[in-house]
Amino acid sequence: MTEPDGVGDPDTRIPDPAPRHTPLWTVLSAWLLRVERWLQSRGGSRLRSGLRQLWGLVAIGGIILLVGPVINPPLTLDDLTDEASDVTDTWIARSFAADYRVTTDDDGRLVTDVEERIDAFFPKDLDDRTIERVLATEYQGHALDPSAITVTLDGVKQDVTRERAAVFLRLVVDPGEQLTGDHELVIRYRLSDLAYVDADPATGRPVDLLRWDVFGPDLQQAVAKLDVRVTIPQDLDDRLVRQPYGSLAWTLIGAGQWLSPEADSPPGEVAYAFTSDDAAPPHAQARFTMPFEAGSITMPPQSWIFWVQTFGPVLPMLVLAATLLLSFAARAVAWGDARGRPWYLAQSEPPEGITPRTAAHLLRSPATMELAERLKDAAISGSKEQAKRQVRLIAAAGAAKRAGRLGDRPRALRRYLTGPERAGQVREGLRRVPKGFVRDWFIAAPIALTLLQWGIVRQLSHQTVLAVVWWPLAFVALSTVFAVIVLAIALTARPLTRKGALVKQHLLGIRVFAERTQLLDRASLRDRLLPYAVLGTPPRATGRRVAALIAPEITMPAAATDPTSPPDGSSAGFLTGPRIAVRVLAVLLVVGAIVAVNVLPASSLEPETARSYTGDIPGSTLVTIAAAEFDAQLTRSDGDGARLRVTERLGVDFSNEGAVPGQVVREWPAVVDGQDLGLSVDRVTIDGDDAPFTTEHEDGRLLLRTTFDDVRTGLHDVVIQTTATRPAIATSVGGRDVDRVSWVALLDGWSNSVPIDKDIPPEPFRLSFTADDELLDDAVDAGWTPAEAGAWRPAATEGGAARSTATLDLAPDDDGRWSLDVRGDDLGVVLDLPAGTVAGTDADAAALARTAALAPGVFTVVFAGIAVLGSVIGAVGSARRRAPKPGLLRDAVRWLTPSALAAAVILGIWTLNGVAGDDPFGDLVLGGLIAGVVAVIAWYGVVMWARPRA
């Protein structure tokens, strides 16, 4: 029994000091308590109900954003075409003349005065008599601050109604009468800070970019004629990176032109203009682009709307993070256990009315709860109960062997959390459920804010990216984790009451008594104190001591030593080491597959389409090859090595019909079969002058692209010089090891992808390959690729330098098409030399590279085979209509089969994306996947068929 206050010899009292909390927890908890008291003093239950409704509204708003319609969705192609067909539903701009006068203020920031003259035609019977014009107020993170706005209609100044939204300003003019026919509309206004810093797509360097759509955010009228004039100061014009560019576009259709200074430019200023007589449907874009050198224009600070739009969605996460911190403080202090006495005594009697299971919950001791329960059941006296007692002793021995073991922790925790004692403690007044405004906040806020943030993510996924901030996935996932933790704390908090604290001190006194008297080593199993003495102690050590105590009193010693098979089946949830390993392996298979497809390079047995052929590189589609000569020189280097120097002489025709300067783009293999060729670009010239360029290594290839600042037109001579310091690779041909020198002048697909002027067929392409005679004489095989391209006929070079040269001339037909003989493979030379001829080759690299390429597919087939095997075993077991016994085999079938199939599907799809359609390896991978899926479905069908009918 618990002792009343004031009882006990001071010398026998055991101090029980109050927990010392960190200053942060103390401060936060005190603040929460003050908030709780303040709120209770202001409204009580009515205020609590109102706050709950407020959080409910936030949650409903989040649900609407998550599953409801998209707010202000971008116009789709169907929307644009529908509005183009309804062009007469509003007034039409017969002409739209925009005059932009750009200046800089004393701080160097842009100030732009705009005048728009619109010859507007109003059809008869127009329903809406108002005129609307939408101006942007935010652009690239800058506040444009439209000011000095005036509107005249037929020379008469109009009153303007301004409807301001977050990022635009709507001007509404009501002329007071229904307009018909032609009218002149003039709108004047001033904009600030139109320029922003961006990367030049041609060079990759930062520039101060003035790129503006003169139609604004949303021009819903059709435009029949467009005139745009932009005037800038001379000092800004001197800092232009290249000519300005003007364009008019609608959806995927558009045209543009490079602009030249106007002859009538004002003194000290330079004017640029462009016009278009092509009719533009509603929602068209008319842009001018002016790139200036970095630092030419003073940029303003980012606007507050930019920060709100960029980081506003993070606010719910910050609120949840603060809530998480407060919930920890509340759990530690405000919702902490009540205090008993400042001391307790050693106790030799169990507490009245407290079962061992309840005691385990009071001490939070799930690992030894079953052991205490079994010891209480085993404490039976009387000869008539001996048979039953033996069974219970065996169960207690099994519980003792399992106590604290890793394989028992899931089952023990499950029994602890699902037991009726959790709720019973509250009913008996041993624990309490916190109530109040703070708890309502901890429950409602995580749910509402998480729904709101997921809704915001869904809405923003349909909008234009405002800034390069990788917040959606990471921040929302983190917010969800915060919410789950806060909810768990709020819903599971059950602090001890004063009564519960006294009972807990009594139980602690039993532990002290047991330690002093070595109860676990000498007690009788009928001792009523024993079940309570094992609670809260180290479970593994306690289990071993109790097992030794039980062993002499049972008649089946073998059973007492087996923790997995007591007669009452209480260890059905016990996991042995192999069973735990099976579960861990099942999880790792899926996780490993997901990590592999996201981290490893793309699995492919075939080379990817060359980036230089895709047209994705800015300016690459604005050049055509009119003539080409490729000269390769293979020479010996120090130490029996080799070096391959290549000179490409290209006649390149540049076009000025794009928004960026034309750029020369070339690409070559840099890593073959896992062996680095040591390829580098030595020099690039255009018309004899050095040309700026950059190189990139990706997917085993070296990509070169020029970075011309200025716009070029016409035919130019481009010379590219490259060097491969390790041109030979070790490989096997027909079962024979060779050192292969493979020179690729043009990658596979060149006949369709290399830009060619179809109106003017190119001159014949010439390829020449020169090597020492000793290398050519010792060659196992040599020739052009593809072999049908031409005959391999090396001829001695002039001057008798013991070198020979093979040449190949390729000419298109009259229609500019290349012969089928030169298509379908890389165009170049293959020279196979006896193994060891060239130093520095790596014979193991090729095998390793191919193994790495095949590994995902092989693992796919293996995992699919595991799924098939598991499905067969599971189906056979289910067909017997007998419940499988818990054990390693059942776990392997139930866990490894679905996880292996999931891993196979993940890896298989990834592998098949990189395998050629005619590759038999792809058929093997696909067949394995199909077999695995069919087997698992069939297993499920057998399980459903064998399930007992009600």
Side-chain angles (χ1 to χ4, degrees):
M1 295 178 62
T2 58
E3 299 286 350
D5 291 341
V7 175
D9 186 348
D11 294 336
T12 62
R13 294 175 181 177
I14 303 167
D16 188 13
R20 300 185 63 180
H21 302 292
T22 63
L24 177 61
W25 282 172
T26 303
V27 171
L28 292 179
S29 182
W31 180 81
L32 286 175
L33 292 175
R34 286 197 299 270
V35 170
E36 180 73 35
R37 288 192 296 268
W38 185 83
L39 290 173
Q40 288 179 354
S41 67
R42 292 298 186 274
S45 59
R46 179 175 297 181
L47 180 58
R48 285 185 66 187
S49 177
L51 291 176
R52 289 173 180 173
Q53 293 175 8
L54 176 62
W55 284 117
L57 291 176
V58 174
I60 292 173
I63 294 173
I64 293 175
L65 293 176
L66 185 61
V67 301
V70 177
I71 299 174
N72 191 26
L75 294 176
T76 64
L77 182 59
D78 291 337
D79 297 331
L80 295 173
T81 54
D82 289 343
E83 293 203 22
S85 61
D86 299 331
V87 66
T88 57
D89 290 347
T90 183
W91 57 273
I92 301 171
R94 291 188 185 274
S95 67
F96 189 108
D99 186 359
Y100 284 75
R101 184 170 296 275
V102 179
T103 58
T104 57
D105 61 14
D106 295 338
D107 296 328
R109 294 167 56 173
L110 281 192
V111 178
T112 305
D113 292 306
V114 184
E115 179 184 272
E116 297 175 351
R117 290 186 174 273
I118 304 173
D119 291 334
F121 172 74
F122 293 82
K124 294 181 179 180
D125 302 326
L126 194 64
D127 295 335
D128 189 4
R129 69 181 189 181
T130 61
I131 302 173
E132 295 184 1
R133 181 76 172 102
V134 179
L135 305 180
T137 59
E138 292 285 325
Y139 183 61
Q140 297 295 332
H142 298 170
L144 301 185
D145 297 327
S147 60
I149 300 174
T150 62
V151 178
T152 63
L153 182 65
D154 297 329
V156 179
K157 188 175 182 179
Q158 303 291 312
D159 294 330
V160 181
T161 301
R162 306 184 185 191
E163 300 176 358
R164 183 173 292 274
V167 294
F168 63 84
L169 176 66
R170 189 182 302 276
L171 307 179
V172 181
V173 176
D174 188 353
E177 60 178 333
Q178 188 73 40
L179 298 178
T180 59
D182 293 306
H183 298 270
E184 184 184 47
L185 178 67
V186 179
I187 304 174
R188 297 182 178 90
Y189 53 91
R190 172 173 291 180
L191 299 175
S192 302
D193 303 313
L194 283 184
Y196 59 96
V197 177
D198 200 6
D200 187 356
T203 65
R205 293 189 292 269
V207 293
D208 292 347
L209 186 62
L210 174 56
R211 186 173 188 265
W212 183 248
D213 185 352
V214 301
F215 288 158
D218 186 22
L219 183 64
Q220 300 182 11
Q221 286 73 37
V223 177
K225 182 181 179 181
L226 174 68
D227 289 285
V228 178
R229 182 182 177 93
V230 184
T231 304
I232 62 175
Q234 181 66 57
D235 58 340
L236 267 185
D237 185 76
D238 294 338
R239 298 181 69 91
L240 278 170
V241 173
R242 68 181 66 90
Q243 300 167 249
Y245 186 79
S247 64
L248 176 64
W250 181 75
T251 64
L252 301 179
I253 305 171
Q257 62 188 47
W258 296 98
L259 308 181
S260 300
E262 295 291 300
D264 59 347
S265 299
E269 296 179 312
V270 180
Y272 296 90
F274 67 96
T275 63
S276 175
D277 294 327
D278 296 328
H283 307 291
Q285 299 91 38
R287 294 190 176 96
F288 60 86
T289 303
M290 294 182 170
F292 300 96
E293 297 175 5
S296 301
I297 301 170
T298 302
M299 298 298 165
Q302 302 290 359
S303 67
W304 68 270
I305 290 182
F306 170 84
W307 295 116
V308 170
Q309 289 182 325
T310 303
F311 296 102
V314 183
L315 292 178
M317 188 201 71
L318 298 179
V319 174
L320 283 173
T323 303
L324 177 64
L325 196 64
L326 291 171
S327 67
F328 280 131
R331 184 66 187 90
V333 184
W335 295 346
D337 293 338
R339 292 284 295 140
R341 302 187 193 91
W343 48 265
Y344 61 90
L345 301 174
Q347 301 289 343
S348 60
E349 293 293 332
E352 290 184 3
I354 302 298
T355 66
R357 288 178 63 97
T358 301
H361 280 82
L362 289 172
L363 293 174
R364 300 194 184 278
S365 179
T368 54
M369 185 181 75
E370 184 192 9
L371 176 58
E373 182 183 2
R374 299 304 180 194
L375 288 174
K376 179 184 177 184
D377 293 341
I380 302 174
S381 61
S383 58
K384 294 183 179 180
E385 301 292 339
Q386 288 304 311
K388 184 183 294 186
R389 185 170 184 271
Q390 284 294 313
V391 174
R392 294 180 177 180
L393 282 174
I394 293 173
K401 291 293 184 180
R402 293 192 300 273
R405 294 179 62 173
L406 180 62
D408 191 54
R409 297 215 176 239
R411 185 192 61 84
L413 186 60
R414 184 173 64 251
R415 295 181 75 250
Y416 176 83
L417 294 176
T418 58
E421 290 76 17
R422 285 179 59 80
Q425 296 175 92
V426 178
R427 289 194 304 269
E428 296 173 9
L430 301 173
R431 293 186 183 274
R432 65 182 177 88
V433 178
K435 295 180 180 179
F437 292 92
V438 172
R439 185 171 187 267
D440 291 347
W441 172 21
F442 288 169
I443 293 175
I447 297 174
L449 292 178
T450 302
L451 288 174
L452 178 64
Q453 199 164 19
W454 280 108
I456 292 174
V457 168
R458 185 250 177 168
Q459 293 289 329
L460 291 183
S461 66
H462 293 271
Q463 305 299 329
T464 303
V465 177
L466 300 178
V468 183
V469 179
W470 187 66
W471 69 266
L473 180 60
F475 289 177
V476 173
L478 193 59
S479 297
T480 305
V481 173
F482 288 168
V484 171
I485 296 174
V486 173
L487 275 175
I489 292 174
L491 296 175
T492 62
R494 299 291 187 273
L496 288 172
T497 61
R498 165 77 175 178
K499 178 182 177 181
L502 291 173
V503 175
K504 181 179 179 181
Q505 287 184 325
H506 189 110
L507 296 171
L508 294 176
I510 293 175
R511 184 189 303 175
V512 173
F513 177 81
E515 292 174 353
R516 290 176 178 177
T517 61
Q518 297 183 344
L519 181 67
L520 297 181
D521 296 322
R522 64 167 183 79
S524 167
L525 292 178
R526 291 184 174 86
D527 192 331
R528 294 190 308 124
L529 202 63
L530 185 60
Y532 299 90
V534 301
L535 296 173
T537 57
R540 292 295 296 270
T542 300
R544 287 192 293 268
R545 295 169 70 182
V546 173
L549 198 64
I550 297 175
E553 298 195 28
I554 63 175
T555 59
M556 300 174 61
T561 62
D562 184 1
T564 65
S565 58
D568 65 346
S570 62
S571 67
F574 180 82
L575 301 177
T576 62
R579 294 180 66 186
I580 295 175
V582 165
R583 284 166 163 77
V584 173
L585 179 60
V587 174
L588 290 180
L589 285 181
V590 179
V591 173
I594 295 174
V595 171
V597 300
N598 285 280
V599 174
L600 298 178
S603 172
S604 177
L605 299 177
E606 296 292 329
E608 298 287 340
T609 301
R611 284 182 57 204
S612 56
Y613 296 165
T614 62
D616 295 336
I617 300 174
S620 62
T621 60
L622 300 174
V623 297
T624 58
I625 299 178
E629 292 185 6
F630 305 92
D631 179 26
Q633 300 278 339
L634 179 64
T635 60
R636 280 288 193 180
S637 61
D638 297 337
D640 291 332
R643 179 179 288 107
L644 182 66
R645 288 191 173 93
V646 179
T647 301
E648 299 183 0
R649 298 176 177 86
L650 308 176
V652 180
D653 191 6
F654 287 80
S655 170
N656 63 353
E657 296 181 356
V660 296
Q663 306 292 346
V664 178
V665 180
R666 295 284 291 119
E667 192 171 5
W668 310 274
V671 178
V672 179
D673 287 344
Q675 300 170 75
D676 190 346
L677 303 183
L679 181 64
S680 62
V681 178
D682 301 327
R683 190 184 182 194
V684 179
T685 64
I686 181 167
D687 298 330
D689 298 325
D690 287 336
F693 68 92
T694 183
T695 59
E696 304 173 23
H697 283 272
E698 185 176 346
D699 296 331
R701 290 175 176 153
L702 177 67
L703 183 139
L704 157 77
R705 63 180 180 89
T706 57
T707 56
F708 296 125
D709 281 331
D710 52 341
V711 181
R712 298 173 183 269
T713 59
L715 190 64
H716 296 267
D717 294 328
V718 176
V719 178
I720 303 172
Q721 296 175 341
T722 64
T723 300
T725 57
R726 296 181 296 275
I729 63 170
T731 186
S732 178
V733 177
R736 179 176 179 178
D737 294 336
V738 296
D739 291 344
R740 167 168 289 184
V741 176
S742 179
W743 167 50
V744 176
L746 293 170
L747 288 169
D748 182 21
W750 68 272
S751 59
N752 296 320
S753 303
V754 170
I756 300 296
D757 191 335
K758 296 181 179 180
D759 297 330
I760 305 176
E763 298 179 6
F765 285 9
R766 166 161 290 190
L767 285 74
S768 64
F769 183 85
T770 303
D772 294 342
D773 289 339
E774 61 162 316
L775 293 176
L776 295 177
D777 293 342
D778 295 338
V780 175
D781 190 18
W784 301 105
T785 59
E788 297 80 10
W792 177 257
R793 298 190 182 93
T797 57
E798 297 180 0
R803 295 172 60 81
S804 297
T805 301
T807 59
L808 175 67
D809 292 325
L810 299 177
D813 58 21
D814 295 338
D815 294 329
R817 298 188 181 94
W818 299 96
S819 170
L820 292 175
D821 293 338
V822 299
R823 303 183 190 179
D825 202 351
D826 297 337
L827 182 62
V829 172
V830 170
L831 177 65
D832 290 339
L833 303 171
T837 303
V838 181
T841 59
D842 189 348
D844 298 328
L848 183 61
R850 180 152 185 88
T851 300
L854 290 173
V858 172
F859 278 115
T860 299
V861 176
V862 171
F863 291 155
I866 294 174
V868 171
L869 178 61
S871 299
V872 171
I873 296 174
V876 172
S878 299
R880 294 179 178 178
R881 297 180 181 268
R882 291 187 301 179
K885 295 181 179 180
L888 179 61
L889 180 60
R890 188 190 71 168
D891 286 0
V893 171
R894 290 187 175 182
W895 284 80
L896 288 182
T897 300
S899 66
L901 179 62
V905 170
I906 294 170
L907 291 176
I909 294 176
W910 184 51
T911 300
L912 291 174
N913 285 335
V915 176
D918 57 351
D919 192 332
F921 184 69
D923 298 335
L924 176 64
V925 173
L926 181 60
L929 279 179
I930 294 175
V933 172
V934 170
V936 171
I937 294 175
W939 175 28
Y940 178 76
V942 173
V943 171
M944 298 301 295
W945 167 78
R947 177 176 296 176
R949 301 295 188 268

